[in-house]
Amino acid sequence: MRLNSLLETRLADLHAAGLLRELRRVDSPAGPHLQLGGQRLHNFASNDYLGLANHPVLREAAIQAIERFGIGSGGSRLMGGALAPHHELEIALADFKGTEAALSFASGYATAVGTISALLGKDDVIILDKLVHASLVDAARLCGAKIRVYKHNDLADLERILQWATRPRPASSGGRPLRPNVLVVTESVFSMDGDGAPLREVVALKERYGAWLMLDEAHATGLYGERGQGLANAQGVADRIEIQMGTLGKALGVSGGYIAGSRKLVDYLVNRARSFIFSTAPPPAIAAAATAAVRYVQTPVGRELCHWLWTHVRAFVSHFPPPDGRPPSAIFPVIVGDEAAAVALFAALRERGFFVPAIRYPTVARGAARLRITLTATHAAEDVNALADALRRLLPRFSPTKIDHAPPRPT
Ligand SMILES: *Cc1c(COP(=O)(O)O)cnc(C)c1O
């Protein structure tokens, strides 16, 4: 079959299943509004939680770095592309996270894939929360370790798997029994459901079984903890987590990912993380802007932005209170279920001036299609209320009609 005919069939199948995705061209900078196809929409789809993506402090940092270092970095980090701004970023990140060292990557995706496949191999076991991000799932597949998945936030299920995983196994050569390295991977705030992991309990469990923990703080960095260090910091367990991951493209408003941890961990990743080694270093202006963001979120003005975000979250929660009393986040999933219904709800909201895209398989499970609302510090309070009103009116037409708040989290 000719490639294009095959692809045409596949695309038609996606369309028929309500799963076709298309790129939309946005003609405005990141922010609370979006210029889309001649229409100005309220943007409730952005991960730019603090409104830093187009912030003057970051723009200025990037411009200065361009003046000084130009645009491209000219090579991978190990081949002369490690410019001063990359080093400054990593110093700022380690200081922010309170770790010995940090390493930045071109994206969060590259961070997950590079780190996990550097650390684990076929004799090891990786244990993932059912709802972790695709980058972590892909990393687990790539590293070749045995993969086990525990029910979302289910500590009993995690413990059952830990018991199995940490049992010594007979060595294939008949020598001393092997005890595999076991890595537990979870997010602190889940990207598509917005609920938090029971971190203290997960940390206690991995310690009891001698496993390591990798925590992805993509949706918590900048937002939780006294200076925005993340949920692990807010819950007082950061220094017990071996591998702390985060992204620079969400609340920090730029792009990239990072690992924070021991000096040994970073030295090892520099030698073994293939997505780090075999990839051109990000432009120095990106590193400089990210450094400015890391510093800015910790200042009183930065904390003030966070305060605005939480004010909006509380306002939205007052319209749609979580039934199980779980702590809210800036991410509100509106579970519709059916893929086509989710797309129809998206279209209805768009007609009313709100941009809240439908999230479908494979980003979430089949039949768990949803609208994913994200609030940001730069929204106006009246726009948050207007969205809540519009949703209240529209939802009865798109069953099941509820703002879902994932199953109660085990305590
Ligand atoms: C966005 C995201 C990533 C990937 O980060 P990018 O910088 O966008 O590649 C990884 N993990 C989680 C949980 C995310 O939400």
Side-chain angles (χ1 to χ4, degrees):
M1 203 184 213
R2 296 183 75 89
L3 177 62
N4 281 338
S5 341
L6 174 67
L7 299 182
E8 192 184 329
T9 325
R10 289 186 184 170
L11 285 166
D13 290 349
L14 284 174
H15 184 66
L19 294 175
L20 190 70
R21 298 164 175 222
E22 283 168 302
L23 291 173
R24 303 180 190 92
R25 170 179 160 154
V26 174
D27 287 302
S28 53
H33 299 98
L34 203 76
Q35 196 68 34
L36 193 69
Q39 208 187 354
R40 184 173 186 264
L41 298 167
H42 297 295
N43 181 10
F44 285 98
S46 175
N47 293 323
D48 178 25
Y49 299 110
L50 298 178
L52 295 186
N54 190 28
H55 193 284
V57 167
L58 275 66
R59 290 166 62 118
E60 189 50 36
I63 290 166
Q64 280 184 16
I66 289 174
E67 300 286 3
R68 180 125 190 262
F69 294 96
I71 301 294
S73 54
S76 68
R77 294 282 298 276
L78 288 167
M79 299 290 278
L83 306 178
H86 298 112
H87 286 269
E88 303 226 328
L89 170 59
E90 286 157 359
I91 291 167
L93 280 167
D95 175 65
F96 178 49
K97 299 290 287 183
T99 54
E100 277 176 18
L103 189 67
S104 64
F105 291 71
S107 70
Y109 189 97
T111 309
V113 166
T115 300
I116 289 177
S117 54
L119 294 174
L120 299 186
K122 66 174 173 40
D123 295 327
D124 303 319
V125 177
I126 184 163
I127 307 178
L128 309 170
D129 182 286
K130 170 86 178 132
L131 294 187
V132 293
H133 190 261
S135 58
L136 299 161
V137 174
D138 292 358
R141 290 186 182 141
L142 187 66
C143 76
K146 280 193 201 65
I147 302 175
R148 289 293 179 275
V149 175
Y150 64 99
K151 289 185 204 134
H152 178 50
N153 279 347
D154 186 329
L155 296 163
D157 202 33
L158 172 58
E159 177 156 26
R160 181 183 63 79
I161 298 171
L162 278 167
Q163 277 168 356
W164 167 84
T166 52
R167 227 176 284 147
R169 281 147 221 282
S172 45
S173 53
R176 254 190 326 130
L178 295 171
R179 200 176 173 291
N181 297 312
V182 179
L183 178 68
V184 176
V185 181
T186 185
E187 288 171 32
S188 54
V189 172
F190 284 84
S191 61
M192 294 297 138
D193 291 69
D195 57 338
L199 286 185
R200 289 196 197 92
E201 292 82 354
V202 170
V203 166
L205 265 183
K206 69 92 184 170
E207 285 176 353
R208 189 169 325 138
Y209 287 89
W212 307 323
L213 178 62
M214 175 162 172
L215 180 68
D216 184 348
E217 298 246 36
H219 296 275
T221 304
L223 304 181
Y224 298 81
E226 213 175 304
R227 289 179 289 127
Q229 302 97 312
L231 198 64
N233 175 276
Q235 301 204 352
V237 292
D239 55 358
R240 292 159 66 191
I241 298 171
E242 287 81 1
I243 307 153
Q244 300 189 62
M245 170 183 163
T247 57
L248 305 168
K250 284 155 186 161
L252 293 173
V254 189
S255 76
Y258 67 84
I259 292 292
S262 66
R263 168 51 59 194
K264 292 270 186 299
L265 172 65
V266 166
D267 288 349
Y268 185 74
L269 292 177
V270 166
N271 282 274
R272 279 287 180 266
R274 295 171 64 87
S275 63
F276 175 87
I277 298 168
F278 298 107
S279 192
T280 300
I286 295 296
T291 307
V294 169
R295 292 186 181 139
Y296 190 75
V297 293
Q298 303 179 69
T299 64
V301 222
R303 298 330 295 148
E304 184 76 4
L305 287 175
C306 218
H307 166 81
W308 282 116
L309 173 63
W310 291 115
T311 305
H312 294 328
V313 169
R314 277 193 300 275
F316 204 78
V317 165
S318 73
H319 294 283
F320 296 103
D324 58 7
R326 83 171 199 214
S329 73
I331 303 166
F332 290 83
V334 182
I335 309 281
V336 177
D338 181 66
E339 279 74 22
V343 175
L345 179 55
F346 155 70
L349 280 169
R350 183 172 168 175
E351 259 169 42
R352 287 158 182 78
F354 300 100
F355 184 74
V356 191
I359 310 286
R360 292 163 285 166
Y361 178 83
T363 306
V364 295
R366 276 182 205 278
R370 67 197 60 190
L371 266 57
R372 174 180 179 267
I373 297 167
T374 48
L375 303 180
T376 70
T378 46
H379 281 123
E382 58 266 30
D383 296 337
V384 173
N385 287 326
L387 172 65
D389 282 344
L391 261 179
R392 225 197 335 252
R393 274 190 219 118
L394 284 170
L395 272 176
R397 287 205 246 141
F398 301 86
S399 64
T401 60
K402 57 173 189 158
I403 298 265
D404 177 81
H405 291 276
R409 98 173 191 220
T411 45

